[in-house]
Amino acid sequence: MTPRSVYRIPLTPVNGSRFQPTGFPDLGPATFSKPTAEGWVEALHVESPQSMANRLELTTWDTATGDQPEVLAGLPYVRVVDPTGGFLTSSRLEAHRLASAYIMDGTISGVAGRTVLPGLLGIAKDQAIDHRQLARAICRLDPLSLVHGVFFAQKEWPWQPKIARAVTCFIDAEDVRDAVSGGVKTDSVNPRVEGESQGTAKGYGMVPHQRLEFTARSITAYISVDHEQIRAYGLGSAGEELLEALVAYELASLFRGGPMRLRTACDLQVVEGSEGALGDIPTPDAATRRVVAAIAGAGDLLGPVTEVTWSRATGKG
């Protein structure tokens, strides 16, 4: 297997030509200048690596049932519940995955998560981290944290281990132009806000607004899969196949499973006739068969679903 697989997949809006990029605090749309063979052009960061990691991981979760899809049965993850057993979140949904504050501040069998996890991960004072043991421990808890990365930034621990992303994906647009529009929130009952009328801050009155979208000559999803990092975990052939199968499942689900609705006004799909750009990304059916077989073959690399109890009242389980 090659050390790394790289994909550049052309995308286009499902309807029309306008799209809305991600926005960043105190920045708004992330525009930048990009060098091309024809000179510098205005470009736009449509979706960040952090966001795309979350979107890829979301393909392993069924929001309607609040659990992973049946085809992934047998795959471990951490499930966070309230004191009554009601579902709150999981390591698949949390931005920090296994390092989520809900897991750290919750309890596992009555013991605080931040107290239990160092032992599970093999972290001890005055001992170097055994990275293979760390990877094996993470795999038993939730192997997706080996695919998309996790950083245990716990100052009270003797070490703060970090796993980099094995899959990096982002979406950029090239040669972009502003598409400015607007609208108005109407109030057919109380359009004026003078005098005794309630103000617009309360949701009354007529409120005009501006909307900034973009058009682009091209939109591209850039993907890099680091197979060498996956091999370096030392999980053996069954573990490597599990992680590679999960990567294939996520990519197939997101890029071959139909349009990607990133936001209300950002609904993208792969450009028709771009089969070559998809490369060896399998069909969703083939990816599903592969991941089911990989889970069955992973054996003792996989632990059970771990339940963490978190209480809103104290921030502790």
Side-chain angles (χ1 to χ4, degrees):
M1 180 177 288
T2 59
R4 189 171 299 177
S5 294
V6 176
Y7 308 89
R8 293 179 174 87
I9 303 175
L11 306 174
T12 188
V14 172
N15 281 317
S17 58
R18 294 175 297 159
F19 61 93
Q20 177 190 23
T22 188
F24 297 89
D26 302 322
L27 176 65
T31 56
F32 61 99
S33 296
K34 177 179 179 179
T36 68
E38 291 77 32
W40 290 83
V41 298
E42 286 300 302
L44 176 69
H45 199 37
V46 180
E47 205 72 6
S48 70
Q50 306 94 293
S51 178
M52 288 305 294
N54 294 338
R55 295 183 187 282
L56 284 166
E57 198 166 18
L58 194 58
T59 66
T60 71
W61 192 258
D62 186 343
T63 55
T65 63
D67 204 343
Q68 59 188 357
E70 289 186 13
V71 298
L72 299 183
L75 207 61
Y77 68 93
V78 177
R79 185 177 182 85
V80 182
V81 299
D82 64 24
T84 68
F87 175 76
L88 292 175
T89 185
S90 79
S91 55
R92 302 285 176 78
L93 302 175
E94 286 295 293
H96 297 292
R97 300 178 183 85
L98 290 175
S100 164
Y102 292 97
I103 296 174
M104 294 297 162
D105 289 341
T107 60
I108 302 172
S109 300
V111 182
R114 68 179 71 254
T115 301
V116 173
L117 280 174
L120 296 178
L121 300 175
I123 299 171
K125 187 177 181 181
D126 299 326
Q127 291 184 15
I129 294 177
D130 183 333
H131 290 280
R132 291 191 174 191
Q133 178 181 332
L134 176 67
R136 186 172 288 268
I138 290 174
C139 190
R140 283 187 59 80
L141 290 168
D142 190 344
L144 269 300
S145 284
L146 294 176
V147 173
H148 296 296
V150 61
F151 178 28
F152 296 96
Q154 300 296 313
K155 293 181 179 179
E156 62 269 36
W157 290 10
W159 300 95
Q160 291 79 48
K162 182 176 183 179
I163 301 291
R165 292 189 183 94
V167 177
T168 301
C169 178
F170 60 91
I171 300 175
D172 282 352
E174 186 176 302
D175 199 3
V176 299
R177 300 290 186 273
D178 293 356
V180 181
S181 62
V184 63
K185 172 262 174 187
T186 61
D187 188 333
S188 59
V189 176
N190 185 27
R192 298 182 179 277
V193 295
E194 296 89 351
E196 297 180 358
S197 298
Q198 298 286 344
T200 55
K202 300 274 189 180
Y204 295 92
M206 309 290 283
V207 184
H209 62 271
Q210 186 184 72
R211 184 183 188 90
L212 175 60
E213 297 171 305
F214 290 85
T215 59
R217 187 177 300 278
S218 65
I219 307 171
T220 306
Y222 297 87
I223 307 166
S224 176
V225 182
D226 193 337
H227 305 291
E228 186 60 27
Q229 177 176 322
I230 290 174
R231 189 192 69 81
Y233 290 142
L235 298 174
S237 58
E240 288 179 37
E241 171 57 17
L242 174 67
L243 298 185
E244 294 285 0
L246 285 169
V247 171
Y249 177 86
E250 291 185 343
L251 293 177
S253 299
L254 194 61
F255 291 99
R256 287 190 181 270
M260 296 178 290
R261 195 178 190 196
L262 306 181
R263 279 167 294 282
T264 299
C266 192
D267 198 1
L268 305 177
Q269 62 186 354
V270 176
V271 172
E272 187 176 350
S274 300
E275 186 65 28
L278 292 167
D280 60 358
I281 297 175
T283 64
D285 286 345
T288 296
R289 290 193 296 270
R290 181 182 179 185
V291 80
V292 168
I295 293 170
D300 61 359
L301 288 171
L302 304 179
V305 173
T306 302
E307 186 168 286
V308 170
T309 303
W310 181 87
S311 171
R312 179 183 297 275
T314 62
K316 305 289 183 181

